[in-house]
């Protein structure tokens, strides 16, 4: 009888722990109020905001794409400044100093994008499908529409 009660308590605690753990992994998605997108406007490192995404489903889609990426842990030096930068913004956070900024480059063929999280030394070149999907959400245009 006592073993059965102990077992039930253990199972309930395990389920609670499992729910809490899975909830933590999505915490950033829930807390992101918008994505701010900036475009490089000169050949130097000067950017201006061009898009703000506040649709929760689009924010979720971007986070889902970024979460499934197998980032390479490598510090890269690109030959030019990023074409775009974007970051998630939470209106309730007082400090934005810990915010991750994603740097985005368009490939010369305009069919893929490369992403870098500079502060974390992370790099990835997305496949064509994910590049098209992410770029359309972030910039609001198709890769092929970019001059």
């Amino acid at each position: 009888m006592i073993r059965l009660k102990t077992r039930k308590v253990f199972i309930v605690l395990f389920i609670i722990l499992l729910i809490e753990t899975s909830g933590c992994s999505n915490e950033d998605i829930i807390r992101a109020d918008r994505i701010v997108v900036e475009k490089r406007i000169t050949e130097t490192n000067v950017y201006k905001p061009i898009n703000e995404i506040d649709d929760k489903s689009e924010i979720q889609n971007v986070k889902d794409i970024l979460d499934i990426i197998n980032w390479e842990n490598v510090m890269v030096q690109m030959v030019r400044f990023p074409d775009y930068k974007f970051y998630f913004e939470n209106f309730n956070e007082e400090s934005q100093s810990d915010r991750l900024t994603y740097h985005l480059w368009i490939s010369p063929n305009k069919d893929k994008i490369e992403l870098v999280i500079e502060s974390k030394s992370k790099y990835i070149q997305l496949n064509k499908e994910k590049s098209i999907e992410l770029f359309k959400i972030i910039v609001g245009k198709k890769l092929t529409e970019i001059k």
Side-chain angles (χ1 to χ4, degrees):
M1 178 91 165
I2 293 177
R3 286 184 91 180
L4 186 59
K5 265 189 168 179
T6 305
R7 188 177 215 174
K8 285 181 181 180
V9 168
F10 177 75
I11 291 171
V12 169
L13 288 175
F14 179 75
I15 291 171
I16 291 171
L17 179 65
L18 187 63
I19 291 169
E20 287 295 316
T21 306
S22 64
C24 290
S25 64
N26 292 328
E27 186 175 325
D28 290 337
I29 296 168
I30 294 166
R31 293 184 321 143
D33 295 312
R34 71 177 173 182
I35 300 172
V36 177
V37 184
E38 299 175 347
K39 180 180 180 178
R40 184 169 43 96
I41 58 171
T42 66
E43 292 303 314
T44 60
N45 198 15
V46 177
Y47 293 81
K48 75 171 188 174
I50 61 154
N51 197 13
E52 289 183 3
I53 302 163
D54 57 7
D55 180 87
K56 295 294 183 196
S57 66
E58 287 186 341
I59 293 171
Q60 178 73 44
N61 288 342
V62 171
K63 290 296 284 178
D64 289 345
I65 292 168
L66 296 175
D67 286 345
I68 62 168
I69 291 174
N70 291 322
W71 292 92
E72 294 178 37
N73 291 317
V74 62
M75 185 171 284
V76 295
Q77 287 207 289
M78 306 299 263
V79 295
R80 67 182 196 279
F81 294 109
D83 299 308
Y84 297 87
K85 295 180 181 183
F86 66 95
Y87 55 87
F88 295 87
E89 189 171 68
N90 182 353
F91 300 135
N92 297 325
E93 288 181 4
E94 291 181 21
S95 170
Q96 298 294 335
S97 61
D98 296 336
R99 166 174 72 204
L100 294 180
T101 300
Y102 296 83
H103 297 201
L104 184 153
W105 285 262
I106 301 171
S107 70
N109 293 336
K110 297 182 180 166
D111 61 345
K112 294 181 183 176
I113 61 174
E114 296 172 90
L115 296 172
V116 169
I117 308 173
E118 193 168 67
S119 63
K120 293 197 172 249
S121 300
K122 302 264 187 189
Y123 167 84
I124 188 72
Q125 182 181 54
L126 296 177
N127 63 31
K128 288 181 181 183
E129 179 184 307
K130 288 297 174 192
S131 293
I132 290 168
E133 182 181 355
L134 182 62
F135 192 81
K136 178 69 175 152
I137 297 169
I138 294 295
V139 179
K141 295 181 180 179
K142 294 181 181 179
L143 270 171
T144 55
E145 295 176 346
I146 302 301
K147 297 177 185 178

